[in-house]
Amino acid sequence: MRRLALALLACSALTLAGCAQDFDRGPDGTVTDKVKDGKKFYLVVNPAKGGEEKKFRVSKYDYHDCNRGSKYPKCVDD
């Protein structure tokens, strides 16, 4: 019984680990726009150190946590 419980726990952990979304972090700056394309979520950030705006993919949770005008990545970390 103990082996079965351990095996189920291990399978559950592997399944959950496969669901995590890991996208590259965008530049530090101010969120200027949010774009939703089907089930893909993007933020557009104006970098704090100058340069052009950058659009990058984020998780749906980060998309909902960051509003236009908020500071990225602070909006994700809060």
Side-chain angles (χ1 to χ4, degrees):
M1 186 70 171
R2 185 177 232 177
R3 288 183 189 175
L4 178 61
L6 185 60
L8 288 174
L9 183 62
C11 288
S12 297
L14 290 174
T15 302
L16 290 175
C19 295
Q21 295 177 336
D22 188 26
F23 301 109
D24 291 336
R25 183 177 158 187
D28 294 359
T30 304
V31 177
T32 57
D33 199 10
K34 296 168 60 168
V35 180
K36 182 178 175 188
D37 182 17
K39 292 187 177 185
K40 296 179 183 176
F41 301 91
Y42 300 90
L43 292 178
V44 180
V45 171
N46 188 9
K49 297 181 179 179
E52 295 183 19
E53 289 184 331
K54 182 171 181 183
K55 177 181 171 182
F56 55 95
R57 191 167 175 198
V58 294
S59 71
K60 69 178 179 180
Y61 304 107
D62 292 350
Y63 177 85
H64 291 294
D65 287 344
C66 295
N67 297 311
R68 289 175 186 85
S70 62
K71 300 292 182 189
Y72 181 85
K74 187 175 184 327
C75 58
V76 174
D77 297 334
D78 287 343

